[in-house]
């Protein structure tokens, strides 16, 4: 077998497309022949289906996950002078959205076991200026929403779930996105549910908020050329919605495949020196990523690369140490858990169609590294 045929990609979106090709092509062809590219009926269909999937009442599609976060904050009238608490251990978009609306991001360190927001540290970070908490369901595992909901209620704060890595996962039986006032999802191609380009969506049970979000994403208008507020052009394209309608029907099965891949890794890595993902009680994760840890992460990643096995690091530089956030005034040591993770974490190949042979080869190569 050639090296190429044995290579293991980190993600393989073309394998998924091959499995749904006829349905996707037909859905896209329908949009092309109707040529209703902006807010066509597929957008509404997808919004209704996704709201139902999340056990919420309303969903509003937008043009990216980052837009979804920003629009969520704007819909809650969060702006200059306000503080918003979120994870130091997240993708930077969560924090950028807070900055875009003029509010101040307040970062909080991670729980050393689940890598999600530590509720005790969230409570300690609340000030009279705090307006909202944005827990991130990192790598597909829900954050401790019980604690987050208690804190939000006690301190009268908005709760926005960043569920961009966790479509379909559950906390105590409840779908992510349905527990906060607003739930935000990226639909970036490589997410558990992904469009064929940039897209995002916001879910809620609050009709007034849904209406405001609809205005914000479409020039402040629901009736053409009548503008109630100053909105944006941040709509979900009809073509993306048509693809997403096809894909949503497969999401639970794909997530189950991801859990099966994770179970195989868990089993095969049992006796390895790696720390494998810990799953909190009462959650059903969806393994957007399968993240292991080892102090010689860089050596292991290089060894795997030489064996044509692709891995990732999510994320190599914590937000508070990024030049973009130098003005928050943080220094090394401020978020010790996040900083330690950044040096040790490695995301192994993970996608629903990942062949068992690829999992076995990845694990065998990891064993070779430690020999
Ligand atoms: C992907 C992601 C985003 C941003 O989504 P885009 O669609 O890329 O704008 C936000 N938050 C988290 C946690 C993400 O993983």
């Amino acid at each position: 077998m050639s090296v190429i045929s044995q290579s293991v990609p980190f993600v393989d979106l073309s394998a998924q497309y091959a499995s749904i090709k006829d349905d996707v092509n037909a859905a896209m062809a329908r949009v092309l022949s109707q040529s209703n590219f902006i807010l066509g009926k597929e957008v509404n269909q997808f919004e209704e289906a996704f709201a139902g999937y999340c056990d919420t009442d309303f969903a509003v599609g937008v043009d990216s996950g980052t837009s979804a976060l920003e629009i969520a904050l704007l819909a809650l009238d969060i702006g200059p002078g306000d503080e918003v608490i979120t994870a130091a251990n997240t993708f930077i978009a969560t924090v950028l959205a807070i900055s875009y609306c003029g509010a101040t991001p307040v970062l909080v360190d991670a729980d050393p076991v689940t890598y999600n927001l530590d509720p005790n540290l969230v409570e300690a970070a609340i000030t009279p200026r705090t307006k909202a908490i944005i827990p991130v369901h990192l790598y597909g595992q829900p954050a401790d929403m019980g604690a987050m909901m208690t804190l939000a209620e006690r301190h009268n704060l908005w709760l926005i779930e960043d569920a961009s890595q966790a479509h379909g996962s559950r906390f105590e039986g409840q779908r992510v996105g349905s527990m906060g006032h607003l739930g935000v999802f990226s639909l970036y191609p490589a997410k558990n549910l992904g469009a064929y380009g940039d897209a995002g969506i916001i879910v809620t049970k609050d009709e007034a908020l849904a209406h405001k979000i609809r205005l914000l994403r479409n020039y402040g208008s629901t009736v053409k050329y009548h503008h109630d507020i100053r909105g944006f052009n941040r709509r979900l394209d009809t073509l993306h919605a048509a693809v997403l309608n096809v894909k949503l029907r497969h999401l639970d099965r794909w997530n189950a495949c991801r859990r099966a891949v994770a179970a195989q890794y868990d089993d095969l890595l049992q006796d390895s020196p790696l720390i494998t993902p810990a799953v909190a009680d009462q959650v059903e994760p969806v393994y957007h990523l399968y993240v292991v840890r080892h102090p010689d992460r860089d050596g292991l990643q290089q060894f795997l690369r030489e064996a044509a096995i692709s891995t990732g690091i999510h994320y190599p530089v914590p937000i508070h140490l990024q030049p973009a956030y130098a003005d928050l005034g943080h220094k090394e040591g401020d978020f010790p858990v996040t900083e330690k993770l950044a040096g040790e974490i490695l995301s192994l190949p993970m996608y629903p169609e990942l062949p068992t042979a690829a999992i076995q080869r990845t694990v065998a190569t990891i064993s070779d590294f430690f020999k």
Side-chain angles (χ1 to χ4, degrees):
M1 229 191 295
S2 73
V3 172
I4 293 300
S5 73
Q6 292 182 345
S7 73
V8 182
F10 178 62
V11 178
D12 183 358
L13 296 180
S14 62
Q16 187 178 82
Y17 173 58
S19 75
I20 52 173
K21 190 173 176 182
D22 291 346
D23 288 347
V24 166
N25 289 3
M28 290 186 87
R30 274 195 301 276
V31 176
L32 296 181
S33 57
Q34 289 159 4
S35 291
N36 198 355
F37 299 112
I38 305 298
L39 297 183
K41 70 175 189 317
E42 285 79 0
V43 174
N44 207 262
Q45 279 166 3
F46 175 63
E47 289 171 342
E48 281 184 9
F50 195 71
Y53 178 83
C54 294
D55 297 328
T56 56
D57 299 316
F58 307 96
V60 185
V62 294
D63 60 351
S64 75
T66 309
S67 276
L69 284 160
E70 184 188 5
I71 286 179
L73 289 159
L74 291 170
L76 299 171
D77 290 320
I78 290 168
D82 298 335
E83 293 176 355
V84 178
I85 296 173
T86 194
N89 188 34
T90 181
F91 179 56
I92 196 165
T94 322
V95 187
L96 288 174
I98 299 168
S99 302
Y100 295 157
C101 68
T104 304
V106 175
L107 303 177
V108 162
D109 209 357
D111 176 281
V113 175
T114 65
Y115 313 155
N116 269 323
L117 259 189
D118 180 334
N120 295 321
L121 298 177
V122 171
E123 178 146 45
I126 294 170
T127 76
R129 302 201 318 170
T130 308
K131 285 282 155 41
I133 308 171
I134 310 183
V136 180
H137 306 309
L138 201 69
Y139 309 151
Q141 164 153 231
D144 184 349
M145 287 307 293
M148 297 302 157
M149 288 190 284
T150 303
L151 284 176
E153 232 161 85
R154 189 186 303 150
H155 297 273
N156 198 24
L157 304 174
W158 295 110
L159 191 56
I160 304 170
E161 294 175 66
D162 184 347
S164 295
Q165 301 187 2
H167 318 63
S169 71
R170 294 178 188 271
F171 176 85
E172 293 181 349
Q174 301 177 79
R175 290 278 199 196
V176 296
S178 68
M179 294 167 278
H181 299 98
L182 295 171
V184 165
F185 296 81
S186 166
L187 301 167
Y188 175 84
K191 300 291 163 90
N192 290 41
L193 178 65
Y196 289 158
D198 280 307
I201 195 161
I202 305 163
V203 297
T204 185
K205 294 175 181 167
D206 185 321
E207 187 166 14
L209 281 177
H211 178 71
K212 188 155 181 206
I213 290 165
R214 257 175 229 291
L215 291 177
L216 282 166
R217 69 134 179 220
N218 188 36
Y219 310 118
S221 157
T222 50
V223 177
K224 213 165 190 180
Y225 308 130
H226 295 264
H227 305 274
D228 301 334
I229 59 173
R230 291 198 290 262
F232 304 88
N233 177 356
R234 299 284 182 79
R235 297 169 302 225
L236 172 67
D237 289 319
T238 310
L239 272 169
H240 289 315
V243 172
L244 291 160
N245 274 324
V246 172
K247 285 185 146 202
L248 181 59
R249 299 199 285 271
H250 301 279
L251 179 57
D252 282 336
R253 183 171 56 80
W254 287 334
N255 282 340
C257 291
R258 288 174 180 273
R259 279 191 290 272
V261 170
Q264 289 185 74
Y265 276 133
D266 283 346
D267 183 41
L268 296 169
L269 290 169
Q270 246 183 110
D271 302 319
S272 88
L274 299 179
I275 300 177
T276 54
V279 178
D281 291 341
Q282 302 293 323
V283 310
E284 185 179 51
V286 292
Y287 292 98
H288 175 56
L289 298 170
Y290 186 90
V291 177
V292 297
R293 268 172 77 185
H294 192 270
D296 189 15
R297 182 270 316 280
D298 291 339
L300 176 60
Q301 184 175 39
Q302 180 60 25
F303 192 80
L304 289 166
R305 191 182 295 125
E306 282 160 13
I309 296 169
S310 301
T311 58
I313 301 173
H314 302 88
Y315 297 92
V317 182
I319 314 286
H320 67 288
L321 302 179
Q322 296 279 1
Y325 277 106
D327 63 344
L328 289 182
H330 287 298
K331 57 184 186 320
E332 235 177 286
D334 282 1
F335 303 109
V337 176
T338 299
E339 290 169 26
K340 189 169 166 58
L341 289 173
E344 296 187 347
I345 48 177
L346 187 68
S347 307
L348 299 184
M350 167 57 81
Y351 55 93
E353 303 80 7
L354 184 64
T356 298
I359 299 169
Q360 288 166 341
R361 194 166 98 74
T362 301
V363 173
T365 310
I366 291 170
S367 309
D368 287 348
F369 175 74
F370 287 112
K371 257 179 209 150

